[in-house]
């Protein structure tokens, strides 16, 4: 917003919190030759001769744009020009940064590193006023002296404060809303979406939710639907994954067994389809640590080499897809990208029968957070010690404790996740993403394996999942985090790229529409936001420390600023964030502690922003920060059950594993990547809320943002009661098991609902942590922090450690791991 902000992340009197959209254009530089060579090269017609005599080599030129501590844009590289290099490149930038100035830095790229030719700054206060500014800025402070002329940079700036943006606080309003624009994949109409919680749900799961018109909400079962879809495919099955484990079985519930599915592994199913003549293409990420001296296991244990070996010599076409860097990057950058980042998308696209048509087929795409690998099979019960010798006998996973195995017994690592199925035009966008990646990175011998698919052959169905109710139709937009090192089809011209929502930096073109989709959905929010995500860190420009960590994604700070704006207006708003108790891994390890610390800095920043708004509104002593913003995690605890599996060996006494087994409890790992806004709009995908997933040039990701046009909130208080609402209520039923009354749950923004959810979670925490072991009647726990009425964040456990561990809740700064790896 265009006003001074005095919170701890920015105390300078000149600092302005720039919250909105900044349009910036870099045109050209003037007299830049003085900055490069000083006295040696002047404005002379003998430039080429001089260069030959002195053997001077010039690097390409580019400009960085910083808003305060945040690097927000970088121009393309242009060839050296001794007088007036020209970029003529424009950017549209979502901003939520405290900053005293907007700084432009002109650099020359060399084979190793880059040199600074000069900097110029514009006071943020002059930009925040909203008037367009077109300026020639004097460049100072470069690595070369300027004695005859002052080099200058020609720029234009225009800022629109967030509260002047038509989308601010507007919700989804038709006919004006058309998704995020511009975008590589536009919003598509006449689609269908099925939302899934977990890979499976038991036959007895019934959230008892009523939708508009009194219809019951019927939750679907992902891996059952996926098995049937693959089994019945006739033409193609395309799979991209972070991990694809051929040994897993998709259907395991004897009470809901799909005929012919019992014991059938994913690998066997795919080979069978390929033998039938179906084009089966499989593209798992290649973990470059999967090498022979490590037994091909790899640091991430994705089974990539096992998958390649399984399909070798079969009719399935499979290649391991590395996270390659663009060839023009430096050697250091290439190594960093290929070893530290991943292809994290999880997609399956195939043809299915069209209901009501004798021979019609159409395209369906599955995307979300659930990998086709071990450890993902779970239902709403999230058992720890039951079925270990049956359902989980070949799929026991516990990555939080050293030496955990089925031989040593439970608790297994329970897994909560979210996924979706898309039909209609947006399913083709997911297909296009697969094709773009395959064409870019598949070996030459496999490039021709893609089928020539078209809507003429596979026409999209119209209407809903039931085929008879157009009120269930969805509008869907596919988002990505990806760069042109991983896909084909991106324009090379920066202006053409910008026209389709892409950004160009140096020689890289990036799609970061997932982050933009989140930011714009948060800005549109009117009542509440519900998030489930594996990670929650960002907004480092507003942290109390480590603002140079590079964790600049805007999602957390946008949420905090939305809450603050509502408080200042004396309007109700609530945010619920569900994450794991700690990231997967041994909680005291260096990497996990580093991530936990980034999360703590994020949470502290958010409560600081919220508390300032409470003070500004004169509500200190009347309102608590947790009346608006709350963080939760999931856990389970099980009393011993007759007939349960007895391990032949016990864990070593005194270890975290031993303590968890004795206390018979364990956090449920939240792997979902979900946001629901106002019960009318939902984002589901593979992207975590961290810099790796949202930057666009780190991990590759895919997501979708969608809504039902017939089920939106009305302008006069009407409530959305479509499938987005039904899905949230079903998730809450899983997490709370009826501990919060339906009436309160229907209005999540109300203080009554907030207090009811907090009260239920706190009661479950008491049951989770007390000495007496009993079955937990619900899974939602408060994240183990306490927040005072003044917004101060402290540890909830008395010893400051996660239950059953010696790992600090507040985390610890790593002395060895680079921030780019853990943010």
């Amino acid at each position: 917003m265009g006003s001074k902000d005095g919170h701890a992340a920015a105390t300078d009197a000149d600092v302005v919190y720039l919250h909105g959209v900044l349009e910036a254009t870099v045109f050209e530089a003037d007299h830049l030759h003085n900055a490069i060579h000083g006295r040696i090269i002047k404005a002379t017609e003998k430039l080429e001769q001089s260069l030959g005599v002195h053997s001077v080599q010039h690097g390409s030129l580019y400009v960085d744009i910083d808003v305060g501590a945040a690097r927000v844009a970088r121009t393309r590289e242009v060839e050296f020009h001794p007088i007036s290099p020209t970029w003529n490149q424009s950017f549209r930038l979502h901003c939520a940064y405290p900053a005293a100035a907007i700084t432009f830095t002109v650099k020359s790229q060399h084979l190793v590193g880059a040199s600074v030719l000069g900097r110029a700054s514009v006071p943020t206060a002059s930009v925040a006023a909203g008037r367009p500014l077109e300026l020639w800025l004097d460049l100072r402070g470069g690595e070369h002296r300027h004695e005859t002329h002052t080099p200058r940079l020609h720029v234009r700036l225009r800022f629109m404060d967030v509260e002047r943006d038509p989308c601010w606080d507007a919700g989804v309003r038709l006919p004006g809303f058309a998704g995020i624009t511009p975008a590589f994949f536009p919003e598509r109409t006449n689609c269908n979406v099925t939302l899934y919680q977990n890979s499976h749900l038991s036959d007895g799961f019934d959230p008892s939710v009523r939708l508009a018109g009194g219809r019951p909400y019927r939750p679907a079962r992902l891996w059952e639907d996926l098995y049937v879809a693959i089994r019945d495919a006739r033409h193609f099955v395309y799979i991209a994954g972070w991990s694809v484990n051929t040994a897993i079985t998709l259907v395991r519930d004897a009470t809901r067994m799909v005929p012919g599915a019992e014991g059938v592994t994913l690998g066997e199913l795919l080979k069978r389809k390929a033998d039938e003549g179906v084009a089966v293409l499989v593209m798992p990420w290649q973990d470059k640590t999967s090498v022979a001296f490590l037994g091909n296991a790899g640091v991430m244990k994705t089974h990539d080499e096992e998958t390649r070996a399984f399909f070798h010599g079969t009719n399935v076409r499979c290649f391991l897809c590395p996270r390659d860097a663009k060839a023009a990057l430096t050697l250091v950058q290439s190594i960093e990208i290929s070893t530290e980042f991943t292809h994290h998308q999880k997609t399956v696209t195939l043809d299915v029968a069209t209901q009501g048509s004798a021979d019609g087929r159409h395209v369906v795409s599955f995307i979300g957070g659930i990998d086709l690998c071990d450890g993902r099979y779970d239902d709403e019960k999230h058992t720890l010690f039951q079925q270990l010798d049956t359902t989980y006998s070949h799929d026991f996973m516990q990555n939080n404790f050293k030496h955990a195995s089925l031989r040593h017994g439970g608790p297994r690592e329970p897994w909560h996740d979210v996924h979706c199925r898309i039909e209609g035009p947006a399913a083709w966008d997911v297909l296009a993403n697969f094709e773009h990646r395959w064409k870019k990175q598949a070996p030459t011998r496999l490039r021709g394996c893609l089928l020539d698919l078209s809507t003429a052959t596979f026409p999209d169905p119209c209407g809903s999942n039931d085929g008879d109710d157009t009120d269930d139709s969805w509008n869907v937009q596919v988002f990505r985090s990806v760069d042109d090192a991983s896909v084909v089809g991106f324009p090379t011209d920066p202006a053409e790229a910008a026209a389709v929502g892409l950004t160009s930096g140096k020689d890289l073109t990036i799609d970061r529409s997932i982050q933009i989709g989140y930011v714009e959905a948060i800005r549109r929010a009117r009542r509440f936001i519900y998030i489930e995500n594996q990670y929650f860190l960002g907004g480092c420009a507003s942290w109390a420390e480590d603002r140079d960590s590079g964790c600049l994604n805007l999602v957390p700070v946008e949420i905090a600023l939305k809450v603050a704006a509502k408080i200042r207006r004396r309007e109700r708003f609530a945010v619920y964030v569900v994450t794991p108790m700690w990231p997967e891994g041994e909680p005291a390890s260096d990497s996990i502690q580093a991530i936990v610390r980034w999360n703590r800095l994020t949470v502290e920043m958010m409560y600081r922003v919220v508390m300032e708004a409470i003070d500004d509104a004169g509500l200190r002593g009347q309102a608590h920060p947790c009346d608006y913003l709350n963080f939760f995690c999931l856990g389970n605890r099980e009393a011993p059950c007759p007939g349960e599996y007895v391990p032949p060996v016990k864990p070593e006494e005194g270890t975290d594993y031993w303590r968890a087994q004795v206390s018979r409890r364990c956090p449920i790992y939240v792997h979902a990547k979900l946001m629901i806004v106002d019960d009318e709009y939902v984002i589901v995908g593979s992207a975590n809320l961290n810099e790796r997933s949202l930057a666009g040039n780190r991990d590759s990701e895919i997501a979708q943002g969608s809504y039902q046009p017939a089920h939106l909130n009305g302008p006069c208080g009407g409530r959305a009661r479509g499938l987005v609402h039904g899905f949230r209520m079903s998730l809450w039923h899983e997490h709370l098991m009826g501990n919060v009354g339906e009436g309160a749950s229907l209005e999540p923004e109300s203080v009554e609902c907030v207090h009811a959810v907090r009260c239920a979670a706190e009661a479950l925490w008491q049951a989770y942590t007390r000495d007496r072991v009993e079955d937990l009647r619900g899974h939602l726990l408060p994240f183990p922090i306490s927040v005072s009425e003044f917004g101060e964040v402290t540890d909830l456990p008395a010893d400051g450690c996660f239950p059953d561990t010696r790992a600090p809740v507040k985390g610890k700064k790593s002395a060895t791991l680079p921030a780019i790896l853990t943010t």
Side-chain angles (χ1 to χ4, degrees), residues 520-599:
E520 295 204 356
I522 293 164
R523 292 183 178 185
R524 287 195 308 271
R526 299 171 63 194
R527 292 171 174 166
F528 77 92
I529 292 169
Y530 176 69
I531 286 174
E532 294 183 0
N533 207 280
Q534 182 182 0
Y535 297 99
F536 192 81
L537 34 138
C540 70
S542 299
W543 289 354
E545 53 188 274
D546 288 311
R547 295 174 204 155
D548 60 351
S549 67
C551 192
L552 288 166
N553 81 80
L554 298 178
V555 173
V557 70
E558 287 284 353
I559 291 173
L561 293 171
K562 164 63 75 167
V563 172
K566 287 290 192 174
I567 292 171
R568 291 186 176 100
R569 291 182 176 185
R570 298 289 188 106
E571 297 176 6
R572 276 302 307 163
F573 196 85
V575 178
Y576 305 81
V577 180
V578 181
T579 66
M581 192 177 296
W582 66 77
E584 188 181 27
E586 296 169 29
S589 66
D590 203 27
S591 60
I592 301 305
Q593 282 290 292
I595 298 169
V596 168
R597 181 172 174 272
W598 301 136
N599 172 260

Side-chain angles (χ1 to χ4, degrees), residues 61-85:
L61 307 176
Y62 63 95
V63 181
D64 284 338
I65 305 175
D66 297 327
V67 178
R71 174 70 41 82
V72 297
R74 174 173 284 170
T75 68
R76 75 188 193 281
E77 293 181 348
V78 299
E79 292 184 3
F80 167 78
H81 191 286
I83 300 176
S84 56

Side-chain angles (χ1 to χ4, degrees), residues 101-179:
I102 299 171
T103 302
F104 298 84
T105 305
V106 182
K107 294 182 178 179
S108 177
Q109 180 67 52
H110 306 300
L111 289 176
V112 178
S115 58
V116 174
L117 306 183
R119 292 187 180 88
S121 296
V122 179
T124 309
S126 64
V127 178
R131 295 183 299 275
L133 301 175
E134 187 163 337
L135 308 164
W136 278 97
L137 303 174
D138 290 346
L139 294 169
R140 307 287 186 187
E143 296 181 5
H144 304 275
R145 298 174 63 187
H146 321 299
E147 296 186 0
T148 58
H149 297 81
T150 299
R152 300 187 302 163
L153 185 68
H154 184 196
V155 303
R156 181 173 61 208
L157 293 166
R158 181 177 180 271
F159 175 71
M160 180 170 65
D161 186 272
V162 70
E163 297 199 27
R164 295 204 300 270
D165 189 329
C167 84
W168 175 257
D169 217 34
V172 177
R173 294 184 182 177
L174 299 178
F177 180 70

Side-chain angles (χ1 to χ4, degrees), residues 40 51 87 171 181 190 266 396 399 625 655 662 692 704 718 747:
I40 299 175
L51 290 175
W87 292 274
T181 56
N190 296 317
L266 175 63
F396 178 91
N399 289 325
T655 62
V662 170
R692 293 180 65 106
Q704 62 89 4
E747 297 185 4

Side-chain angles (χ1 to χ4, degrees), residues 71-74 91-94 97 180 182-184 478-483 490 497 500-505 508-520 552-555 687 691-699 701:
R71 174 70 41 82
V72 297
R74 174 173 284 170
F91 302 89
R92 186 177 186 272
L93 306 167
H94 291 79
Y97 310 111
I180 67 168
F184 191 85
V478 172
F479 306 136
R480 288 189 294 184
S481 292
V482 74
D483 62 35
F490 283 1
V500 291
L502 307 177
T503 184
S504 301
L508 203 62
T509 303
I510 303 168
D511 185 344
R512 53 172 62 104
S513 53
I514 295 180
Q515 180 171 179
I516 296 171
Y518 268 95
V519 168
E520 295 204 356
L552 288 166
N553 81 80
L554 298 178
V555 173
E691 199 64 20
R692 293 180 65 106
S693 287
L694 299 180
N697 59 348
R698 298 188 182 185
D699 291 350
E701 309 283 4

Side-chain angles (χ1 to χ4, degrees), residues 341-361:
F341 302 131
T342 77
H343 286 305
H344 200 238
Q345 297 178 348
K346 308 118 180 15
T347 71
V348 178
T349 301
L350 37 64
D351 66 288
V352 303
T354 301
Q355 188 175 359
S357 171
D359 299 310
R361 313 287 296 178

Side-chain angles (χ1 to χ4, degrees), residues 559-560 563 573-577 603 606-607 610 624-631 754 758:
I559 291 173
V563 172
F573 196 85
V575 178
Y576 305 81
V577 180
V603 170
M606 296 177 72
Y607 278 119
V610 170
H624 192 285
C626 291
D627 291 344
Y628 306 93
L629 173 65
N630 286 280
F631 294 88
V754 172
R758 281 182 54 81

